[in-house]
Amino acid sequence: MTVIKNGVFSRPEPTFRAPAEKIHRGLVFSYQGKLFREGWLWAISDGRYIPYQRVRGHLPRSVRKRRVGGVNWYRAGRVLDTAAKQPLAGIWPYSSERHVADRGQSMTVEAVRPLLPTKVEQRELQRVKQAIARVQQPDSVVIAHLTDTHFSSYASPSTARSLHYLKTVSYYAKDTALDLIVHNGDLTDGVVDKRYELTDMKQAVAALQLSQRPVLISQGNHDDNSGYARDVDSQFYDQVITNPEANQIKGATFAGLLDNRLVTNANHAVYGRYKVPDSPVNVIILDGFDQPDDLPGYRSRYDFRHGWTHFSPAQQTWLRETLTALPDDEMALVFTHIMPHGLPFDRHGNYNEFAATNQRGGADEGDAIRAILRQYQQRTGNLIAVVAGHTHIDDYAYQDGINWIVSTCAITDRGLGRLKRRFNTRYEQAWDVFSVNPSTRELYRIRYGYHNRRGFLGRVHWRGFKGKFTF
């Protein structure tokens, strides 16, 4: 790292309360890691801490990348850096030289402690609680829903901050004793060495378990670390988190909730049905990345799960049989990380290309899933909605007599609203609480934090029912 302007200081501790020592312009120093404290990124250099970039939520606009003489240079504030695998916007726990070579590094993991909400969070939590109380009926099923947290302790301040959002949802769920939490995929970011990713996954699950409520977690394209294995680690399969490995961690949250499809299906894919106790509502979890862990050789980037959609024939058969077996007086609410392709979402008033990207080889399988859901809806009218994430925007479509609902990402530095979602503000977080009212056939949606109004219609239609989205 090179100091290119005056005004840079080092400190013995990562706090501005510690005594400062001036670093002169032109000094070149090595660093062993980075961290995020007091709203700043700090470089760790030989026991000293050097704040070099302030962060308010999204990745800093002032971080610039340019290529000179075949070398990538990153500039942020008053410093330059050439670390190829550790850009200035990141907070990785190791230096670029040891990034891949050293698999034996250790790290300190702090215990996941319950949330102590700030005054801003207390007000927003209370607002959501009151809004749900206004629409809730005696037979309502209340479900907290968040997606695309992309938690990583080391990728960026925003990815690290996502653990706080998981704890916020847990706080609300425990406080209100709601019926269920659904995390709809991309729980973790999948951008670091596998052993660090597994540790992050354990922390994220522990944060959700603070709720002491039922929790379901669907499969996202980032969750198996295949993007890192494919794009960063030279397509080494040993960096992919297999479904059995992930299910030992994530599946522990719902081992007694879903049927045993995640154990008995050939791919150990995460799909199944959860019957809400004392209610006609069935929650269906689909896996849009249902393929074997051990494709021979992984010779092509297209063989990795990351971003390539599959709904296996076995999953299709299971879904058809499950919906057929539901009694006529019961209903289904479906969650999937990624939508089937070809749906005309309304954000721009036409077909949403992003919702269909990276479905190479899976388009026909997605069409089959849509056909099964369409047939069920035409036969019964009991499909409440299909809810997804993945695209990092709020979006909506009505097709095949079905409400297709997309929620924006929980992480702050991605998606349409990233420049507005600053830390410690009302709009930092983004997650939903659904109230399904079976007796009146109403669906309400209350948003905590940021939302993109263009992605929503104020009123949706479920066959024989009047529904609203409320914010």
Side-chain angles (χ1 to χ4, degrees):
M1 191 175 286
T2 304
V3 178
I4 59 174
K5 291 184 178 181
N6 291 324
V8 178
F9 298 84
S10 70
R11 289 171 166 79
E13 299 177 17
T15 174
F16 288 101
R17 295 186 297 273
E21 181 178 316
K22 185 176 182 179
I23 299 178
H24 294 283
R25 184 174 62 182
L27 178 70
V28 179
F29 62 92
S30 62
Y31 59 93
Q32 293 76 50
K34 301 173 186 176
L35 51 80
F36 180 62
R37 293 288 188 278
E38 298 184 0
W40 283 71
L41 286 166
W42 300 66
I44 307 169
S45 178
D46 299 325
R48 302 287 294 183
Y49 297 86
I50 304 165
Y52 64 88
Q53 178 63 56
R54 189 175 184 180
V55 180
R56 291 184 172 90
H58 55 85
L59 292 178
R61 285 184 173 182
S62 57
V63 174
R64 295 289 184 263
K65 175 182 175 181
R66 58 192 177 97
R67 192 169 180 84
V68 180
V71 177
N72 289 328
W73 288 81
Y74 295 88
R75 175 174 176 171
R78 297 178 172 87
V79 298
L80 281 176
D81 192 15
T82 59
K85 295 184 182 297
Q86 190 178 198
L88 281 170
I91 47 176
W92 298 62
Y94 35 68
S95 67
S96 61
E97 291 76 14
R98 302 179 66 189
H99 178 65
V100 174
D102 186 358
R103 304 288 191 200
Q105 298 179 78
S106 62
M107 66 180 189
T108 301
V109 179
E110 297 181 2
V112 177
R113 304 182 186 279
L115 177 77
L116 293 176
T118 65
K119 290 184 178 179
V120 171
E121 291 165 346
Q122 289 174 1
R123 288 194 295 269
E124 190 67 0
L125 288 165
Q126 185 64 20
R127 184 190 65 79
V128 172
K129 185 176 181 179
Q130 291 173 348
I132 285 290
R134 287 194 295 269
V135 301
Q136 198 171 358
Q137 301 294 323
D139 63 342
S140 293
V141 172
V142 180
I143 300 172
H145 171 254
L146 76 165
T147 184
D148 295 272
T149 45
H150 290 274
F151 171 59
S152 170
S153 298
Y154 309 109
S156 75
S158 293
T159 63
R161 180 75 169 168
S162 286
L163 189 69
H164 186 84
Y165 312 150
L166 295 165
K167 291 162 61 173
T168 305
V169 173
S170 288
Y171 180 94
Y172 180 86
K174 184 177 181 180
D175 181 55
T176 61
L178 53 68
D179 295 285
L180 178 68
I181 297 174
V182 175
H183 189 294
N184 214 0
D186 284 357
L187 178 68
T188 52
D189 206 23
V191 294
V192 296
D193 186 281
K194 178 177 178 177
R195 56 197 307 267
Y196 300 112
E197 194 69 25
L198 286 169
T199 301
D200 278 344
M201 186 182 293
K202 292 175 183 176
Q203 284 196 290
V205 170
L208 289 171
Q209 289 175 328
L210 291 172
S211 67
Q212 300 179 18
R213 307 303 300 163
V215 176
L216 300 177
I217 305 172
S218 73
Q219 173 83 303
N221 54 302
H222 282 252
D223 288 322
D224 71 344
N225 214 38
S226 60
Y228 172 83
R230 183 191 69 186
D231 298 332
V232 179
D233 206 33
S234 304
Q235 299 191 13
F236 288 154
Y237 174 71
D238 65 354
Q239 290 302 302
V240 173
I241 299 173
T242 66
N243 275 346
E245 290 174 324
N247 290 339
Q248 287 182 0
I249 302 171
K250 294 191 294 185
T253 66
F254 50 81
L257 302 181
L258 286 180
D259 54 30
N260 284 331
R261 295 293 168 175
L262 75 164
V263 176
T264 59
N265 71 78
N267 295 336
H268 301 278
V270 184
Y271 59 86
R273 177 180 70 94
Y274 171 62
K275 177 66 163 56
V276 179
D278 304 316
S279 169
V281 175
N282 294 270
V283 173
I284 305 291
I285 299 291
L286 298 181
D287 189 337
F289 308 94
D290 182 359
Q291 69 176 54
D293 288 314
D294 56 350
L295 287 176
Y298 273 149
R299 301 301 181 191
S300 167
R301 65 182 287 107
Y302 303 115
D303 293 330
F304 286 84
R305 269 198 191 93
H306 186 82
W308 306 102
T309 304
H310 291 284
F311 295 93
S312 70
Q315 184 175 176
Q316 297 169 34
T317 299
W318 169 82
L319 179 61
R320 183 181 297 106
E321 293 176 349
T322 297
L323 293 177
T324 300
L326 290 182
D328 290 341
D329 60 349
E330 293 189 5
M331 53 205 67
L333 178 60
V334 177
F335 291 91
T336 173
H337 179 69
I338 190 170
M339 288 291 191
H341 89 294
L343 293 165
F345 286 94
D346 292 343
R347 185 169 67 89
H348 297 297
N350 55 24
Y351 179 68
N352 186 340
E353 290 289 344
F354 187 47
T357 58
N358 296 352
Q359 301 212 29
R360 180 182 184 272
D364 293 342
E365 297 168 4
D367 287 342
I369 292 291
R370 279 182 58 191
I372 294 168
L373 295 173
R374 180 174 62 248
Q375 291 163 8
Y376 172 71
Q377 185 71 329
Q378 290 173 345
R379 178 172 59 85
T380 69
N382 288 335
L383 180 53
I384 301 167
V386 180
V387 183
H390 182 66
T391 60
H392 296 182
I393 59 176
D394 288 319
D395 224 335
Y396 171 80
Y398 183 77
Q399 188 167 327
D400 305 326
I402 299 169
N403 297 302
W404 307 85
I405 301 167
V406 179
S407 286
T408 194
C409 52
I411 191 171
T412 61
D413 65 356
R414 304 172 200 184
L416 273 181
R418 62 186 179 276
L419 299 181
K420 300 177 181 178
R421 297 175 60 183
R422 295 190 171 189
F423 292 162
N424 302 311
T425 67
R426 173 186 173 185
Y427 297 110
E428 176 184 0
Q429 303 192 41
W431 47 271
D432 297 315
V433 181
F434 287 101
S435 179
V436 181
N437 302 347
S439 59
T440 59
R441 297 177 71 84
E442 293 178 323
L443 172 67
Y444 290 88
R445 183 191 198 190
I446 311 299
R447 169 61 58 86
Y448 179 108
Y450 172 81
H451 69 279
N452 168 39
R453 291 185 181 275
R454 288 185 61 194
F456 287 97
L457 296 180
R459 194 175 189 85
V460 298
H461 303 279
W462 171 26
R463 185 174 170 181
F465 123 112
K466 295 180 180 179
K468 296 179 181 179
F469 288 154
T470 307
F471 301 96

